[in-house]
């Protein structure tokens, strides 16, 4: 990908192998939203949170398939921002890129906040900001070295998460079916309904859905790595296919174990339910191991945040939306200025976490508020992906000939997924815990829309001249050549 359209070419290196890409895609979607966010969602809706995860998982399946269809033809770094830029309008590409940056900085901040909670399990007197600060410095250094270094660390971080979740599900089923760790008295699954399947009725079920769907945010991460993947077409298809069903099993399976083993209304909303469940039934060794794993998962999430946000920052700078210095890369092909800037952003989020307790006493509420602030910006890439894929089909119908990875049921599946996403935002307006985070997201998007309009003098977006230019461009698309040449240029 070029760093600028008028200067010398600056390219990122394609050093991510298919195996690393698959594990990174899994790791990007399995993080603090599952390990910490599930505490709040279980409290809101009880065992019916399983339905939330299943429905949200299906929406993500559609988003991933839409992204995969386009990536197979155009595997570019920061792909969905470029897709929005071309298939919709440059203002949407701009907002998508900044939304992704905001989302991942919020995610990274959430991860370092969670680290303090996890370390409190072993060191109750340790200030909760210390683990986060150590993690930021360490991960910034890792990302400065090379994308291969990042890939190696993220591969093993993700591997630890994935293997542990599998073992936890197996161990949990052992407790449920055979009574392992419970005096050989099978726990069964009666906790699913004995305390109410819908813990707080339909309202709780809907409130929980927003945080549940946000826990899947990061699955689109594969669209950021596309420009640095070896054999991108093969790698991307394989990663998308394997990631979707594995995430569904891990999310639904692990939550099923938690709400089956222990009464949902006795879980502490301020702790990780994964650790608390095994602690309360007496399997303290398992609880300690899982706490180590969720700490590793937090490192993984923050690592992914620094990587992906730095690449999207690089993408913006290459289009002259940020200072040219953000396109500078070291001898290993790493945009080091961007990596440093993102790390500083996450550090500022850590500082905010130190300040918030003076105003909000519950650490559980602080986590939900910080985490939820990224929900609306995090949805922007998904919305853009679903809309861009429909435009992609109209503009480049020839690309669908012999295409092995088409979006199923399009465009009806696109409309259905979009309807669910917009309905989720409406529900957030009525949940006291997500009203302020939603407002932050709205202000963020409004601010950057205003900045774009002022910066590019785009008032013609709403006047006759812009519509005339738009229809002229629509006529040019019929040749199909402009589209392909443009996206090849970006790659």
């Amino acid at each position: 990908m070029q760093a600028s359209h008028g200067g010398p070419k600056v390219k990122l290196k394609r050093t991510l192998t298919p195996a690393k890409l698959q594990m990174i895609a899994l790791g990007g979607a399995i993080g603090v939203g599952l390990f910490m966010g599930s505490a709040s969602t279980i409290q809101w809706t009880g065992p019916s949170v399983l339905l939330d995860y299943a429905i949200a998982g299906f929406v993500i399946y559609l988003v991933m398939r839409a992204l995969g269809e386009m990536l197979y033809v155009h595997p570019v770094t920061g792909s969905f921002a470029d897709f929005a830029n071309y298939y919709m309008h440059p203002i949407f590409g701009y907002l998508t890129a900044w939304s992704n940056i905001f989302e991942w900085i919020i995610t990274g901040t959430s991860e370092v906040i969670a680290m303090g909670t996890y370390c409190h399990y072993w060191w109750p007197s340790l200030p909760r900001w210390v683990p986060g600060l150590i993690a930021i410095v360490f991960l910034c250094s890792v990302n400065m070295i090379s994308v291969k270094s990042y890939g190696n660390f993220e591969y093993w971080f993700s591997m630890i998460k994935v293997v542990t979740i599998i073992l936890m599900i197996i161990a949990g089923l052992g407790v449920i079916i055979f009574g392992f760790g419970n005096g050989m008295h099978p726990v069964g699954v009666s906790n699913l309904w004995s305390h109410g399947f819908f813990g707080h009725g339909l309202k709780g079920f809907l409130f929980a859905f927003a945080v549940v769907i946000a826990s899947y945010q990061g699955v689109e991460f594969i669209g950021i790595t596309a420009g640095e993947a070896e054999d991108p077409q093969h790698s991307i298809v394989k990663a998308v296919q394997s990631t979707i069903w594995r995430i569904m099993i891990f999310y639904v399976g692990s939550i099923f174990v938690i709400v089956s083993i222990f009464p949902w209304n006795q879980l502490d909303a301020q702790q990780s339910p994964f650790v608390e469940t095994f602690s309360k039934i007496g399997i303290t060794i398992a609880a300690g191991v899982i706490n180590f794993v969720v700490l590793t998962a937090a490192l993984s999430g923050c690592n992914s945040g620094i990587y992906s946000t730095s690449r999207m920052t690089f993408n913006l700078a290459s289009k002259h939306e940020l200072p040219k210095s953000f396109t500078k890369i070291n001898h290993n092909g790493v945009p080091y200025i961007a990596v440093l800037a993102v790390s500083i952003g996450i550090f500022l989020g850590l500082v905010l976490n130190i300040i918030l307790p003076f105003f909000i006493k519950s650490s559980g509420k602080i986590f939900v508020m910080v985490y939820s602030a990224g929900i609306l910006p995090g949805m922007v890439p998904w919305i853009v992906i679903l809309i861009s894929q429909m435009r992609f089909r109209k503009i480049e119908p020839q690309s669908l000939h012999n295409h092995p990875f088409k979006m199923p049921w399009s465009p009806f599946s696109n409309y259905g997924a979009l309807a669910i996403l917009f309905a989720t935002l409406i529900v957030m307006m009525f949940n006291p815990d997500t009203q302020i985070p939603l407002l932050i997201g709205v202000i963020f998007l409004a601010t950057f829309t205003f900045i774009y309009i002022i910066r590019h003098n785009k008032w013609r977006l709403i006047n006759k001249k812009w519509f005339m230019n738009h229809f002229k461009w629509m006529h040019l698309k019929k040749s199909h050549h402009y589209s392909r040449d443009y996206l090849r240029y970006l790659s």
Side-chain angles (χ1 to χ4, degrees):
M1 179 177 179
Q2 289 184 198
S4 65
H5 298 298
K9 292 184 178 180
V10 180
K11 291 189 176 182
L12 302 177
K13 295 183 177 181
R14 291 189 180 274
T15 56
L16 293 178
T17 64
K20 287 180 181 177
L21 191 62
Q22 290 180 61
M23 195 56 67
I24 288 170
L26 275 174
I30 301 175
V32 69
L34 176 63
F35 292 119
M36 273 293 283
S38 56
S40 296
T41 58
I42 291 172
Q43 285 292 314
W44 282 337
T45 189
S48 65
V49 73
L50 290 168
L51 296 179
D52 278 328
Y53 277 102
I55 296 170
F58 182 68
V59 173
I60 301 312
Y61 166 77
L62 297 175
V63 172
M64 287 288 284
R65 288 301 301 265
L67 178 60
E69 180 178 293
M70 294 184 290
L71 280 178
Y72 183 82
V73 180
H74 304 296
V76 295
T77 296
S79 56
F80 41 83
D82 285 327
F83 294 155
N85 188 65
Y86 175 69
Y87 294 119
M88 295 174 67
H89 187 277
I91 193 170
F92 295 110
Y94 181 81
L95 289 176
T96 299
W98 276 110
S99 293
N100 187 261
I101 290 172
F102 183 81
E103 171 202 349
W104 277 102
I105 288 180
I106 289 295
T107 298
T109 301
S110 301
E111 303 287 3
V112 296
I113 291 175
M115 286 179 202
T117 300
Y118 301 151
C119 290
H120 186 75
Y121 178 84
W122 291 304
W123 304 291
S125 59
L126 181 70
R128 299 200 176 198
W129 57 268
V130 173
L133 179 60
I134 294 173
I136 292 171
V137 173
F138 170 68
L139 294 176
C140 178
S141 302
V142 168
N143 277 270
M144 285 285 195
I145 298 172
S146 68
V147 67
K148 186 175 182 179
S149 171
Y150 157 78
N152 287 335
F153 273 93
E154 188 58 28
Y155 177 85
W156 289 110
F157 282 157
S158 299
M159 179 68 78
I160 291 172
K161 283 191 287 188
V162 168
V163 170
T164 304
I165 289 178
I166 293 172
L167 293 178
M168 194 207 81
I169 292 174
I170 293 172
L173 292 175
V175 175
I176 294 168
I177 300 171
F178 303 107
F180 295 153
N182 193 44
M184 300 309 290
H185 298 295
V187 173
V189 295
S190 60
N191 281 323
L192 290 177
W193 59 82
S194 59
H195 302 279
F197 184 71
F198 287 91
H200 297 287
L202 181 61
K203 183 178 74 172
F205 178 80
L206 294 175
F207 282 0
F209 190 78
V211 177
V212 166
I213 203 165
S215 68
Y216 286 100
Q217 287 179 345
V219 71
E220 75 283 354
F221 183 71
I222 192 173
I224 306 251
T225 61
E228 293 173 274
E230 295 178 359
D231 187 13
Q233 286 188 330
H234 170 73
S235 301
I236 288 164
V237 171
K238 195 170 182 180
V240 170
Q241 286 175 324
S242 62
T243 300
I244 294 170
W245 67 266
R246 287 177 185 175
I247 288 175
M248 286 286 287
I249 291 175
F250 295 157
Y251 270 71
V252 177
S254 57
I255 297 298
F256 170 78
V257 166
I258 289 172
V259 295
S260 295
I261 289 179
F262 203 81
W264 67 268
N265 54 356
Q266 295 181 33
L267 291 171
D268 187 347
Q270 298 183 24
Q271 302 295 327
S272 170
F274 288 78
V275 177
E276 191 181 3
T277 297
F278 284 88
S279 294
K280 288 191 174 181
I281 64 174
I283 311 180
T284 53
I285 294 178
V289 171
I290 292 173
N291 193 66
F292 169 76
V293 171
V294 296
L295 179 60
T296 304
L299 285 169
S300 171
C302 193
N303 193 34
S304 295
I306 293 173
Y307 170 84
S308 65
T309 309
S310 63
R311 268 50 180 186
M312 196 60 82
T313 302
F314 176 92
N315 187 293
L316 280 171
S318 70
K319 295 179 175 63
H320 311 293
E321 302 291 357
L322 282 174
K324 188 178 179 181
S325 59
F326 285 93
T327 63
K328 291 182 179 180
I329 61 175
N330 61 22
H331 63 283
N332 287 322
V334 175
Y336 62 96
I337 300 294
V339 168
L340 183 61
V342 171
S343 300
I344 292 173
I346 295 175
F347 170 74
L348 293 177
L350 181 62
V351 173
L352 177 65
N353 183 51
I354 298 173
I355 297 172
L356 283 178
F358 293 103
F359 304 95
I360 304 173
K361 299 302 180 183
S362 171
S363 59
K365 283 197 172 184
I366 291 175
F367 174 82
V368 170
M369 289 189 67
V370 172
Y371 185 68
S372 299
I375 293 178
L376 174 56
M379 281 188 184
V380 170
W382 295 351
I383 293 169
V384 159
I385 288 167
L386 291 166
I387 296 175
S388 295
Q389 183 269 336
M390 291 189 286
R391 302 281 302 139
F392 163 76
R393 286 198 168 193
K394 290 182 179 180
I395 294 173
E396 299 186 58
Q398 78 285 353
S399 297
L400 297 175
H401 296 156
N402 301 317
H403 194 301
F405 203 56
K406 296 179 183 178
M407 166 74 161
W409 317 300
S410 182
F412 304 106
S413 51
N414 301 64
Y415 295 138
L418 288 169
I420 293 175
L421 293 177
F422 285 118
T424 302
L425 295 175
I426 293 173
V427 170
M428 287 181 67
M429 296 170 57
F430 298 95
N431 184 349
D433 290 339
T434 57
Q435 286 172 342
I436 293 178
L438 179 62
L439 180 61
I440 291 172
V442 170
I443 293 173
F444 168 81
L445 292 177
T447 300
F448 276 87
T449 299
F450 181 74
I451 291 172
Y452 181 88
I453 291 173
I454 295 299
R455 181 178 173 85
H456 295 269
N457 191 25
K458 291 293 183 179
W459 291 111
R460 64 181 179 275
L461 275 169
I462 55 175
N463 65 26
K464 182 177 179 181
K465 182 179 177 181
W466 181 84
F467 282 108
M468 291 175 66
N469 290 337
H470 181 65
F471 285 126
K472 183 179 179 181
W473 170 81
M474 289 289 287
H475 176 72
L476 289 174
K477 77 179 175 85
K478 293 179 180 178
S479 67
H480 307 309
H481 298 298
Y482 179 73
S483 168
R484 301 182 69 84
D485 291 344
Y486 176 75
L487 285 167
R488 282 181 184 142
Y489 174 73
L490 287 174
S491 66

